[in-house]
Amino acid sequence: MKIFETERLTIRTLTEEDIDRLVEYRSKKTVSHYQSWNRFIKRDATKLIKKCTDGTFDYHKGAMQFGVTLKGSNHLIGDLHIDIMAPHTFSVGYTLDDLFWNNGFGTEAVLGLLSYMHVEHGFFKCIAYIYKQNERSRHLLKKIGFVKFDESFFYGDEGYVFDLDNLQKQFFVLE
């Protein structure tokens, strides 16, 4: 089911048909290098999708994963993760197949999600954590306007925050 669209992307619910594709790109060393997993296998994808399809997501609590496809295609190029942290605050995570890096798709997907969460569900703050060495993610977050607020020596990560009231326009379309 489609959640929303951006200029070039469709953000949708993950389905069982996505299992092999999730494993394909999430198990690449280039993609998983700065993620929380070392290996991503079929059992992981099945568990993730089962969690996504086990009922309707409540935008007031819990976590959800969304698929990212090119508009007009059902082929996953990545996925987005949200975790509701407080009544008006959520965290975001993102994974994009390295075949689609350097085209602005990550920025477009995250901006679309931020806009959607703000306009449709009333969220006003988003947090993202990245590993300190992840220059690509740092660049994406700073380009959008996230500001560093935390650094963990123990976990080797940095926390960034974004005030959704700072969005300049709506970056998504609903049908």
Side-chain angles (χ1 to χ4, degrees):
M1 176 177 89
K2 180 173 74 172
I3 306 298
F4 64 87
E5 290 184 335
T6 64
E7 183 179 335
R8 302 177 295 165
L9 304 172
T10 298
I11 311 305
R12 64 170 176 77
T13 306
L14 290 171
T15 67
E16 288 185 9
E17 289 78 34
D18 296 319
I19 290 173
D20 291 336
R21 181 67 181 121
L22 276 168
V23 172
E24 180 184 347
Y25 71 82
R26 280 178 155 237
S27 62
K28 291 180 175 181
K29 289 201 182 304
T30 52
V31 173
S32 66
H33 185 70
Y34 293 117
Q35 296 288 5
S36 60
W37 63 86
N38 293 322
R39 290 181 345 129
F40 195 83
I41 59 176
K42 193 167 190 166
R43 183 178 66 232
D44 300 324
T46 303
K47 183 178 174 183
L48 178 66
I49 289 174
K50 184 174 179 2
K51 184 178 175 185
C52 293
T53 57
D54 271 359
T56 305
F57 175 62
D58 180 351
Y59 282 90
H60 300 288
K61 62 182 175 184
M64 179 56 81
Q65 204 84 18
F66 301 107
V68 178
T69 66
L70 296 176
K71 213 182 240 185
S73 168
N74 205 31
H75 183 75
L76 279 184
I77 68 166
D79 55 272
L80 298 167
H81 176 82
I82 60 172
D83 193 357
I84 308 304
M85 302 176 75
H88 298 287
T89 304
F90 69 99
S91 67
V92 65
Y94 40 86
T95 306
L96 194 65
D97 186 341
D98 61 356
L99 297 174
F100 297 92
W101 290 358
N102 302 315
N103 293 296
F105 293 129
T107 301
E108 185 173 330
V110 172
L111 275 169
L113 182 64
L114 296 175
S115 179
Y116 171 77
M117 294 294 284
H118 182 59
V119 173
E120 292 297 311
H121 298 287
F123 285 86
F124 56 79
K125 186 183 290 184
C126 180
I127 294 172
Y129 284 93
I130 64 168
Y131 290 108
K132 291 179 186 179
Q133 303 84 358
N134 193 342
E135 293 295 331
R136 190 179 300 274
S137 274
R138 182 177 298 104
H139 176 75
L140 183 151
L141 294 173
K142 286 186 172 185
K143 181 166 61 169
I144 290 172
F146 278 79
V147 176
K148 183 177 170 180
F149 76 94
D150 189 22
E151 189 169 329
S152 169
F153 175 75
F154 183 76
Y155 291 109
D157 64 3
E158 299 174 339
Y160 287 81
V161 64
F162 184 75
D163 180 347
L164 300 178
D165 288 329
N166 290 334
L167 288 168
Q168 300 299 311
K169 64 177 187 170
Q170 185 170 310
F171 291 94
F172 75 97
V173 176
L174 293 174
E175 240 180 39

